Amino acid sequence: MDLQGRNRGRAGIVPSIFCYCACVAVVAAGAGGDEYAKHKDPKQPLNTRIDDLLRRMTLAEKIGQMSQIERVNATAEVMRKYSIGSVLSGGGSVPSPNAAAPEWVKMVNEIQRGAMSSRLGIPMLYGIDAVHGHNNVYKATIFPHNVGLGCTR
Ligand SMILES: *[C@@H]1O[C@H](CO)[C@@H](O)[C@H](O)[C@H]1NC(C)=O
């Protein structure tokens, strides 16, 4: 209370302006890259991390993050260049006929590698249009969905 009272008036404005300039300088340095990034610090509160990341994103990166593209179009280069947020295997869209789990893992890891090499390194989400477990993976366990439906009615 005492300090606030004494600093009112012109003398109080100068430190405020100085503080504002110092803050702008810190933000400008942060956009450069290698320095501390709040959004990558798991000790920061979630909303602080989200605000920090959004502040760093360009409009093109935000559009890319809101986009989900089909697997056939998702090369590592496309993921990196357009900062794509999500990839989908539409019904029956598989890496190759009779692709087993290791082939799926290899494909998804390659797409993820591209996403992680984008300017902000945001991982992508992978969506799969499949039923009964993941019925597009060759030799995967298929859950007896119809037996379950039969049991309930
Ligand atoms: C996505 O892949 C499909 C099938 O290969 C192709 O016809 C289409 O042109 C591709 N789209 C883009 C934007 O590359």
Side-chain angles (χ1 to χ4, degrees), residues 18 55 89:
F18 173 77
R55 195 174 41 73
S89 275

Side-chain angles (χ1 to χ4, degrees), residues 70-115:
E70 222 292 328
R71 182 199 60 78
V72 290
N73 305 105
T75 64
E77 176 57 15
V78 164
M79 298 302 291
R80 185 197 64 75
K81 187 172 175 191
Y82 298 105
S83 191
I84 300 296
S86 178
V87 177
L88 175 72
S89 275
S93 178
V94 296
S96 67
N98 295 341
E103 209 171 324
W104 278 89
V105 169
K106 189 170 166 247
M107 175 192 71
V108 173
N109 283 344
E110 176 64 10
I111 293 170
Q112 190 67 287
R113 186 185 62 76

